[in-house]
Amino acid sequence: QELGDTQARLLAAEEALAAKQELIDKLKNEAERQRATLETIPVLQAQAEIYRADFEAERAAREQLHAQRDALQEALRSLRLRLDSEGA
């Protein structure tokens, strides 16, 4: 009977060891995924900064073109008024 108890405890210990090893492997895989994510974050932040700077540059260019268009339209209005007054 003592042999049977010892074999049962040995089997239980082996199963517990296998379960612990499985947990260790799972945690190692999770740690590796987390490490990869942490390495990706700075790259994504740099890309976002580039996109933001590009967007702001495009916005500034659009605003400048809009201001130039408005100035040209005002100059055209003034010129038309002058031509109308000279023609009259």
Side-chain angles (χ1 to χ4, degrees):
Q1 172 155 3
E2 188 177 325
L3 179 61
D5 289 343
T6 304
Q7 286 177 337
R9 285 189 309 197
L10 178 61
L11 183 59
E14 287 175 347
E15 288 174 355
L17 183 61
K20 290 289 183 184
Q21 186 60 48
E22 186 178 321
L23 179 60
I24 288 170
D25 292 342
K26 181 180 174 183
L27 291 173
K28 281 182 181 178
N29 289 336
E30 180 63 26
E32 186 59 36
R33 280 196 301 273
Q34 294 293 332
R35 192 175 300 114
T37 299
L38 289 175
E39 291 172 359
T40 302
I41 289 173
V43 173
L44 294 175
Q45 287 174 332
Q47 286 177 342
E49 181 61 29
I50 290 168
Y51 293 144
R52 185 189 61 78
D54 189 44
F55 175 78
E56 289 176 357
E58 287 179 12
R59 178 188 289 169
R62 280 192 309 272
E63 289 173 356
Q64 184 180 14
L65 287 173
H66 185 70
Q68 288 174 352
R69 186 192 72 190
D70 289 346
L72 288 172
Q73 285 178 341
E74 185 58 38
L76 180 61
R77 264 188 242 116
S78 297
L79 189 56
R80 283 182 178 161
L81 286 174
R82 199 174 93 204
L83 287 173
D84 288 344
S85 66
E86 288 177 2

